[in-house]
Amino acid sequence: PDEIRLTFTEPPDVSLTTIGIDAGGIPVATGPPERAPGTERELRLHLPELDDGVYTVTWRTVSETDGHVTAGAFTFGVGVTRGEVSGVVPRDETPPPSPLAVTGKWGLYVGLAVLFGAAVAGLVVFGPATIARPAVLAVAWIAAAVGVVVITLEERAVLSVPLGTLLSSEAGSDFIGLAIAVGVAGLATLVAAVRTSRATLALLAAATAAAMLVRALNGHAGGSVTAVGEQWLHLMAVGTWI
């Protein structure tokens, strides 16, 4: 073969993709992967002339849709029998989310839910005067902000790339957008805590709902307008229920 082609169910981020090939642990020199012409979901890797033997291909990429890391491996042979190829078992697998990454996501979701819930409660249930402890709002926003930082740094750690490389990629722009949205929610939180009124609580609800929408757009649901709407309503419903 003169090239390898990998087809994914979501568009891969080329700048955060690695594809390696080796023969019995000896690396084969290739160029960088590139997107195949005419498609967003297929990558190709040009190969030099290969000698007879069994080759292992390992790959890792990041989805442009939801930023998730996925990896895998497979083998093929040149001038060898099927048994020789099947006797080599690749071990490269998609890394599971780390406990710290899971904690960061919990902080993000709980923080946004509490902020949205506080704003809704003050607007439609008990009145603005019930927000008597603005420290609760501060703690909720800090949890959300720290959550964004943690999941971004954990993504960088999994990919083993500099932070600047991650943030300059297509997937990295999602983290930047989420950080901006949570930052705007933080300004609304400050305003609502300093001067609580129906107007400032409405601002807090709108800013927090916007941050939830950004998260829905950049998460699992990102590939479907319907799914984005469902997840957005789900997140707001959690805050309202609380």
Side-chain angles (χ1 to χ4, degrees):
D2 57 3
E3 69 177 14
I4 293 170
R5 291 204 176 205
L6 303 179
T7 304
F8 300 90
T9 56
E10 296 175 355
D13 191 324
V14 180
S15 64
L16 297 177
T17 297
T18 57
I19 303 175
I21 178 172
D22 69 77
I26 301 175
V28 176
T30 66
E34 59 185 31
R35 202 178 300 278
T39 176
E40 292 184 346
R41 299 185 178 185
E42 190 172 73
L43 299 179
R44 67 180 181 181
L45 181 72
H46 294 290
L47 299 176
E49 184 175 351
L50 300 177
D51 297 327
D52 289 353
V54 179
Y55 295 87
T56 301
V57 178
T58 57
W59 57 268
R60 183 185 64 194
T61 191
V62 177
S63 167
E64 288 185 353
T65 301
D66 59 19
H68 285 176
V69 181
T70 184
F74 60 89
T75 58
F76 69 92
V78 177
V80 296
T81 66
R82 183 185 299 271
E84 290 177 275
V85 176
S86 60
V88 179
V89 180
R91 296 184 177 180
D92 198 4
E93 298 178 352
T94 298
S98 69
L100 193 57
V102 173
T103 302
K105 290 181 180 179
W106 269 101
L108 172 64
Y109 288 133
V110 171
L112 293 179
V114 169
L115 290 175
F116 187 79
V120 170
L123 281 171
V124 302
V125 183
F126 303 113
T130 59
I131 311 299
R133 294 177 179 169
V136 174
L137 300 182
V139 171
W141 180 78
I142 290 172
V146 170
V148 174
V149 173
V150 167
I151 61 177
T152 303
L153 293 179
E154 282 299 285
E155 180 90 350
R156 186 214 65 78
V158 169
L159 294 173
S160 300
V161 297
L163 183 61
T165 300
L166 172 61
L167 296 181
S168 63
S169 67
E170 289 291 333
S173 64
D174 293 341
F175 291 103
I176 294 175
L178 182 60
I180 292 173
V182 172
V184 172
L187 293 176
T189 300
L190 178 62
V191 172
V194 172
R195 187 171 183 177
T196 305
S197 66
R198 298 191 66 84
T200 57
L201 288 181
L203 176 64
L204 175 60
T208 309
M212 291 176 171
L213 177 58
V214 170
R215 179 56 186 170
L217 288 167
N218 297 340
H220 280 298
S224 165
V225 174
T226 301
V228 167
E230 290 174 347
Q231 183 171 331
W232 186 31
L233 289 174
H234 186 185
L235 292 173
M236 290 190 290
V238 170
T240 302
W241 177 79
I242 289 175

